[in-house]
């Protein structure tokens, strides 16, 4: 009888080991991977398209679609889709909800490449021979538009690129040999964005600032690097309208980045549109307490001493670029600070500035530059305002490094030609989430002169 018990125990142990081993095998070797499992880390951006056909048809023959197709990134995306045989056309794609993910990468040589991932809808014909094997996985090569398209199939995925380097990285990624620490910032914005089943663009802000710096003139490249100080990943749901592309989403800053300081939502108190001109091309607005609006190192250095700016700041600041009379950020920039005590602000500012005429009936003053008053308190990216001209408009301080830009903005305010009269901006404001503590608003027609002024000669036309 005891021998029987031993036999039963051994059999149960073997069955348990077999079930556990089979589970691990299914888990690690057979279970299909998700689309993002094949995308290596360190990308410039990720594009997640849950339904390729639906998205492309929604923008068919619309001006914004034509504009997007003229960009290099979209052309690369379309070339990759063509190589995969996945032209955005419901008649060519039998799957009505074809999901595609794309990753954009900058190589060590400074070139741009893209990796595309989709579900393996059908097996390769036996007549198609593998070009080679890499790390035990068959690679297939196909001529496409004068280039060679490389791809492989693995655990339910089809992965392709024109870049050999990206294909090798993707192979190591799906095999688990290229794993790095999880990017919690990307995970966080993924949880928030994409719930509407719209295409979602995930932008790696530090990588983007480095990439754009390669195309900007030297005097602006350093300023672009400052973007990485604000946020890590940015997730944007994309919706194509008749003549516009609506982007709405979430930023995920790390603890060391500036955006993480803005904790308290203040959407209902937004008022900067009262003083910014109607031709504003870009508006970056933040709101919150002094601890959020001022640099942490400045607050620590002045703890217990006090600072006059703490007493008259009104919980809102904004950086803007205007379109008129401007061909560079230096000439186009405006800085706005809402004041809680305009009289105290005027008294203090008069001690560090000189009178410099008027804009209509509004006195204009110029900071004397003895102290870095703006960058010291609000951040090094605003050093251009340390010797700026300024006016007081009601309970707002409006500043500009270029006097003519300030005068033009003050004149528009006097004529009520401000963002508060712009229906597009007001419609944008209505779509803001109540929990928003800041936002970025752009109009491309207003930005074009500035962007062209920033670009190097070799890329200005494009």
């Amino acid at each position: 009888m005891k021998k029987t018990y031993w036999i039963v125990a051994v059999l149960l142990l073997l069955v348990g080991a077999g079930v556990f081993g089979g589970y691990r095998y299914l888990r690690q070797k057979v279970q299909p991977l998700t689309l993002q499992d094949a995308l290596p880390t360190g990308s410039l951006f990720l594009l997640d398209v849950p339904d390729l056909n639906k998205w492309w048809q929604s923008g068919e023959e619309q001006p914004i679609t034509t504009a997007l197709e003229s960009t290099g990134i979209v052309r690369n995306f379309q070339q990759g889709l063509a190589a995969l045989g996945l032209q955005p056309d419901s008649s060519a794609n039998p799957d009505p909800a074809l999901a595609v993910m794309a990753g954009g990468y900058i190589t060590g040589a400074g070139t741009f490449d893209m990796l595309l991932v989709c579900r393996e809808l059908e097996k390769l014909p036996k007549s198609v021979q593998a070009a080679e094997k890499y790390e035990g996985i068959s690679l297939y090569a196909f001529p496409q538009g004068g280039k060679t398209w490389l791809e492989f199939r693995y655990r339910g995925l089809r992965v392709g690129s024109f870049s050999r380097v990206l294909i090798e990285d993707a192979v190591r990624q799906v095999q688990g040999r290229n794993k790095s620490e999880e990017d919690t910032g990307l995970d966080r914005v993924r949880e928030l964005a994409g719930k509407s089943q719209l295409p979602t663009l995930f932008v790696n802000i530090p990588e983007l600032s480095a990439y754009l710096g390669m195309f900007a003139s030297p005097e602006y490249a350093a300023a672009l690097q400052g973007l990485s100080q604000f946020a890590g990943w940015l997730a944007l749901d994309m919706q194509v309208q008749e003549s516009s592309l609506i982007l709405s989403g979430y930023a995920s800053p790390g603890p060391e980045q500036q955006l993480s300081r803005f904790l308290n939502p203040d959407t209902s108190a937004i008022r900067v549109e009262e003083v910014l001109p109607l031709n504003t091309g870009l508006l970056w607005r933040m709101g919150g307490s002094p601890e959020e609006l001022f640099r942490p190192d400045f607050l620590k250095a002045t703890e217990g001493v006090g600072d006059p700016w703490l007493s008259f700041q009104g919980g809102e600041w904004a950086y803007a670029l205007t379109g008129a009379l401007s061909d560079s950020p230096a000439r186009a920039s405006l800085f706005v600070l809402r004041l809680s005590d305009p009289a105290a602000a005027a008294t203090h500012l008069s001690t560090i500035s000189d009178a410099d005429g008027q804009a209509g009936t509004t006195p204009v003053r110029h900071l004397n530059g003895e102290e870095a008053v703006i960058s010291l308190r609000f951040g090094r990216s605003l050093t251009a305002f340390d010797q700026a001209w300024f006016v007081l408009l009601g309970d707002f301080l409006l500043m500009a490094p270029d006097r003519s830009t300030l005068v033009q903005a003050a004149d528009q305010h006097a004529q009520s030609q401000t963002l508060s009269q712009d229906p597009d901006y007001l419609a944008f404001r209505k779509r803001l989430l109540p929990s928003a503590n800041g936002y970025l608003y752009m109009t491309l027609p207003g930005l074009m002169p500035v962007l062209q002024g920033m670009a190097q000669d070799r890329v200005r036309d494009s």
Side-chain angles (χ1 to χ4, degrees):
M1 182 68 71
K2 290 183 178 180
K3 185 177 181 180
T4 303
Y5 287 148
W6 275 107
I7 293 173
V8 171
V10 170
L11 287 175
L12 289 174
L13 185 62
L14 291 173
V15 169
V19 170
F20 179 72
Y23 171 77
R24 290 202 62 179
Y25 175 80
L26 289 171
R27 185 77 179 168
Q28 296 179 8
K29 299 294 183 182
V30 178
Q31 179 176 312
L33 295 169
T34 61
L35 297 183
Q36 57 263 33
D37 285 333
L39 293 168
T41 56
S43 61
L44 175 67
F45 70 83
L46 300 176
L47 176 63
D48 184 2
V49 185
D51 190 335
L52 180 66
N53 296 322
K54 181 178 180 181
W55 183 47
W56 216 263
Q57 290 166 9
S58 69
E60 194 173 7
E61 297 181 358
Q62 293 186 0
I64 188 63
T65 304
T66 304
L68 288 173
E69 288 175 350
S70 68
T71 66
I73 289 178
V74 175
R75 279 199 301 271
N76 281 331
F77 183 55
Q78 290 177 315
Q79 287 174 352
L81 292 175
L84 288 169
L86 300 176
Q87 297 286 5
D89 179 356
S90 58
S91 62
N93 299 326
D95 187 345
L98 178 65
V100 176
M101 283 199 76
Y105 299 82
I106 306 302
T107 68
T111 59
F112 174 81
D113 287 299
M114 190 175 286
L115 186 74
L116 266 64
V117 186
C118 68
R119 284 285 170 209
E120 182 182 330
L121 302 179
E122 57 185 24
K123 299 293 183 180
L124 279 168
K126 292 184 178 180
S127 58
V128 177
Q129 298 296 315
E132 61 176 295
K133 280 187 177 289
Y134 178 76
E135 301 282 357
I137 291 182
S138 297
L139 301 183
Y140 299 88
F142 304 98
Q144 178 73 25
K147 299 185 289 186
T148 299
W149 175 260
L150 295 170
E151 66 174 70
F152 65 88
R153 314 285 179 101
Y154 187 75
R155 289 173 59 186
L157 295 183
R158 187 177 176 189
V159 185
S161 176
F162 289 110
S163 168
R164 170 70 187 226
V165 173
L166 289 182
I167 285 291
E168 292 180 358
D169 283 347
V171 168
R172 292 191 294 271
Q173 180 78 12
V174 297
Q175 292 182 330
R177 302 179 187 179
N178 202 26
K179 298 295 183 185
S180 59
E181 293 184 9
E182 291 188 5
D183 191 331
T184 56
L186 180 56
D187 291 342
R188 191 177 304 123
V189 293
R190 270 185 174 155
E191 290 176 2
L192 295 170
K195 295 180 180 179
S196 62
Q197 290 300 300
L198 291 170
T200 305
L201 180 67
F202 300 93
V203 182
N204 189 334
I205 297 297
E207 288 286 335
L208 178 66
S209 62
Y211 178 62
L212 293 178
M214 296 190 298
F215 302 98
S217 299
E219 62 266 34
Y220 305 122
L224 286 170
Q225 292 294 325
L227 283 172
S228 62
Q229 299 174 3
F230 281 92
W233 281 91
L234 186 66
L236 300 168
D237 287 338
M238 306 169 65
Q239 185 178 3
V240 177
Q241 297 292 330
E242 182 177 352
S243 58
S244 63
L245 180 66
I246 296 177
L247 304 174
S248 58
Y250 308 85
S252 178
E256 76 285 354
Q257 290 165 324
Q258 188 167 345
L259 191 60
S260 63
R261 304 203 327 260
F262 298 89
L263 304 175
N264 299 321
D266 198 20
T267 309
S268 61
I270 295 174
R271 288 180 46 209
V272 291
E273 62 266 20
E274 297 175 16
V275 292
L276 288 173
L278 196 59
N279 63 351
T280 296
L282 177 144
L283 167 59
W284 172 270
R285 182 266 180 197
M286 281 294 169
S289 63
E291 291 75 18
E292 295 161 341
L293 290 175
F294 290 90
R295 283 174 48 183
D297 56 345
F298 171 77
L299 291 169
K300 186 176 181 179
T302 57
E303 188 175 3
V305 179
D307 179 73
W309 292 71
L310 289 170
S311 64
F312 60 68
Q313 69 84 25
E316 182 178 23
W317 69 257
Y319 171 79
L321 293 175
T322 63
L325 306 176
S326 305
D327 55 4
S328 72
R331 295 197 64 209
S333 298
L334 289 170
F335 177 75
V336 181
L337 177 66
R338 184 150 56 92
L339 304 170
S340 60
D341 191 341
T347 300
H348 172 71
L349 292 171
S350 66
T351 65
I352 57 173
S353 64
D354 302 308
D356 192 8
Q358 296 193 152
T361 59
T362 304
V364 176
R365 298 188 69 87
H366 186 216
L367 292 174
N368 56 33
E370 293 179 3
E371 181 187 3
V373 293
I374 302 299
S375 63
L376 184 67
R377 292 166 174 83
F378 297 98
R380 296 181 182 89
S381 57
L382 298 175
T383 53
F385 295 95
D386 287 335
Q387 299 186 49
W389 285 262
F390 68 88
V391 293
L392 293 172
L393 302 174
D395 55 355
F396 283 95
L397 169 68
L398 183 64
M399 313 182 79
D402 183 86
R403 191 182 190 281
S404 61
T405 299
L406 180 71
V407 170
Q408 193 262 350
D411 287 345
Q412 284 204 21
H413 176 264
Q415 299 169 26
S416 298
Q417 295 294 307
T418 63
L419 269 184
S420 60
Q421 306 300 315
D422 185 344
D424 291 333
Y425 171 78
L426 296 178
F428 163 81
R429 272 284 310 274
K430 288 181 180 179
R431 290 195 297 269
L432 281 177
L433 294 172
S435 59
N437 52 16
Y439 60 83
L440 180 68
Y441 174 77
M442 292 182 291
T443 60
L444 287 180
L447 276 181
M448 286 308 298
V450 181
L451 294 176
Q452 288 174 335
M454 290 177 62
Q456 296 180 15
D457 292 340
R458 62 186 177 87
V459 296
R460 184 166 290 125
D461 291 341
S462 59

